[in-house]
Amino acid sequence: MLKKKTKYVVAIVGATGAVGREMIEILEERKFPVSELIPLASERSEGERVDINGKSVVVRKLGKDSFVGVDIALFSAGAERSLEFAPAAVKAGAVVIDNSSAFRMDPKVPLVVPEVNGRALVKHTGIIANPNCSTIGMVMALKPIHDAVKIRRIVVTTFQSVSGTGKDAIDELAGQTVALLNFQDIKTKVYPHQIAFNCLPHIDSFLEDGSTKEEKKMADETRKILEDDSIRVTATTVRVPVFRCHSESVNIETEKKISANEVRALLSEAPGVIVYDDPKKDLYPLAIDVAGKDEVYVGRIREDGSIPNGINIWIVSDNLRKGAALNAVQIAELLLQ
Ligand SMILES: NC(=O)c1ccc[n+]([C@@H]2O[C@H](COP(=O)([O-])OP(=O)(O)OC[C@H]3O[C@@H](n4cnc5c(N)ncnc54)[C@H](OP(=O)(O)O)[C@@H]3O)[C@@H](O)[C@H]2O)c1
């Protein structure tokens, strides 16, 4: 449990990664009370420096002894590192907020989006999980609708940016784009196929039933966060040549009828959600506009005439901010209250 202090020692595991760097920026931006920042990464980055609040701090190599005196450890270095090192951090007295998939479906670990199920935090026993980046955007928009008219089924297709895979994938898209525009051969390392000018219906590994782990994560995590195992969810997750922000086309079937205008009104009141929906003026959420924003943007809200109680919406959120770093820092802020 976190002891009340005026300032906290915060470790970031994966501080040199796409999410880790964003975490440092967000801690600074939101004036999180940090007495000391301990940036941790692999031996590749040992000795590099990161800046916080005008101070330059040396990156250390992650080890089991990295957490002495740490109050809050934000993990963002992949599930293997979380499984290996999060228990050591908890043993040393830190509260862990984990961005990986390692503990999300563990019944003892709360899976938290503060605006949606912040109260789940009270049950934590040292580790709190941050949901998948696409799940966070979706539940932010669906929670008010579920509370009002109960969602029975969700059909979602995602259009996920390369920053969702991390810094090497950002370089791969940039490198391939430059190479192709210069009529040169491309290198493919992170993804199994060319990502520039292409869409890959493949995120994370394939399961026996032909779906992917990413698709299963969206279904399982949505039910856990909305605390309703009866919701049926089917997902198709697609990687697209966009640097930042995940977009999602979501079709829902509800128990009671709800009109598009009622959905618009509900979501206009929802914390952290912005309705941006004026198709007559060609206004709807776009990845390039939502990049760097904290809120989840929703547009293209319309009734689905193919079923009695159906709604279609388009959701865009910044995967590095609300989809990862911001949500983790918001969880830390809730812990201080
Ligand atoms: N990107 C997103 O939108 C997003 C959203 C939600 C959750 N997540 C999760 O957040 C985590 C990080 O994602 P990312 O996009 O930031 O990846 P990334 O850009 O590839 O960064 C990975 C970070 O982990 C560190 N790392 C890798 N292997 C390590 C090791 N053996 N020991 C210590 N540190 C190690 C890296 O350090 P080096 O620089 O030394 O290699 C780097 O700081 C993943 O678990 C991912 O699933 C990402």
Side-chain angles (χ1 to χ4, degrees):
M1 295 301 126
L2 194 66
K3 282 197 208 101
K4 277 256 176 229
K5 293 182 176 176
T6 48
K7 287 190 170 186
Y8 298 83
V9 178
V10 178
I12 299 189
V13 179
T16 52
V19 174
R21 287 187 183 279
E22 202 73 25
M23 280 172 167
I24 297 171
E25 258 185 62
I26 291 175
L27 286 170
E28 190 171 308
E29 229 176 82
R30 294 173 75 93
K31 301 190 170 38
F32 192 88
V34 179
S35 58
E36 187 190 353
L37 179 81
I38 301 181
L40 301 163
S42 78
E43 59 197 7
R44 291 179 291 272
S45 312
E46 199 176 4
E48 271 182 29
R49 300 186 88 91
V50 295
D51 294 334
I52 183 163
N53 298 329
K55 273 193 221 146
S56 168
V57 190
V58 177
V59 176
R60 304 181 201 170
K61 184 182 165 206
L62 171 66
K64 290 214 167 120
D65 55 357
S66 299
F67 301 97
V68 180
V70 170
D71 299 304
I72 300 170
L74 303 175
F75 271 68
S76 183
E80 274 176 48
R81 260 67 60 195
S82 297
L83 287 167
E84 189 177 350
F85 296 99
V90 174
K91 208 165 159 203
V95 175
V96 168
I97 300 170
D98 182 35
N99 257 280
S100 81
S101 57
F103 304 103
R104 287 181 191 149
M105 293 313 294
D106 182 332
K108 296 188 295 298
V109 174
L111 181 64
V112 177
V113 180
E115 297 89 338
V116 175
N117 67 335
R119 67 180 189 282
L121 207 59
V122 294
K123 289 192 224 137
H124 86 84
T125 55
I127 301 178
I128 299 150
N130 213 45
N132 170 276
C133 38
S134 295
T135 311
I136 293 179
M138 188 167 82
V139 296
M140 284 282 288
L142 295 191
K143 167 74 171 161
I145 305 175
H146 187 54
D147 286 348
V149 288
K150 193 166 170 28
I151 295 172
R152 281 187 173 151
R153 182 167 188 249
I154 303 169
V155 182
V156 53
T157 304
T158 67
F159 306 78
Q160 298 183 216
S161 69
V162 295
S163 58
T165 317
K167 55 184 176 169
D168 293 347
I170 299 172
D171 293 344
E172 184 148 312
L173 174 58
Q176 288 182 356
T177 306
V178 170
L180 287 164
L181 291 175
N182 285 288
F183 306 100
Q184 290 164 355
D185 291 339
I186 59 151
K187 290 195 185 78
T188 297
K189 216 169 96 195
V190 177
Y191 297 116
H193 305 281
Q194 173 186 321
I195 182 65
F197 310 104
N198 205 4
C199 297
L200 311 179
H202 174 184
I203 298 184
D204 210 332
S205 47
F206 279 101
L207 300 167
E208 275 300 301
D209 67 358
S211 64
T212 64
K213 274 195 192 164
E214 184 82 350
E215 289 156 358
K216 182 166 164 41
K217 281 182 234 166
M218 285 197 79
D220 293 345
E221 293 178 22
T222 298
R223 283 189 285 264
K224 180 167 174 176
I225 298 163
L226 296 181
E227 294 166 4
D228 188 341
D229 283 339
S230 72
I231 305 175
R232 285 165 289 155
V233 185
T234 181
T236 303
T237 56
V238 183
R239 188 72 65 193
V240 295
V242 165
F243 282 105
R244 196 162 166 147
C245 285
H246 292 351
S247 306
E248 306 176 38
S249 158
V250 182
N251 173 265
I252 55 168
E253 188 180 342
T254 57
E255 200 166 283
K256 283 194 229 139
K257 175 120 190 111
I258 187 164
S259 70
N261 275 338
E262 284 166 331
V263 170
R264 244 173 244 122
L266 267 181
L267 296 186
S268 302
E269 299 292 312
V273 175
I274 291 188
V275 174
Y276 190 71
D277 193 22
D278 195 350
K280 288 204 180 90
K281 293 187 183 147
D282 298 341
L283 295 180
Y284 29 72
L286 294 174
I288 53 168
D289 298 331
V290 177
K293 302 266 169 43
D294 285 351
E295 295 85 1
V296 171
Y297 282 66
V298 184
R300 299 290 325 276
I301 301 169
R302 63 210 189 274
E303 282 154 50
D304 166 13
S306 72
I307 47 172
N309 300 339
I311 289 286
N312 286 312
I313 59 176
W314 174 252
I315 302 169
V316 183
S317 69
D318 186 325
N319 53 292
L320 293 177
R321 286 185 81 86
K322 187 58 189 164
L326 172 65
N327 198 70
V329 173
Q330 285 177 308
I331 292 173
E333 288 170 347
L334 263 191
L335 283 173
L336 305 196
Q337 286 171 20

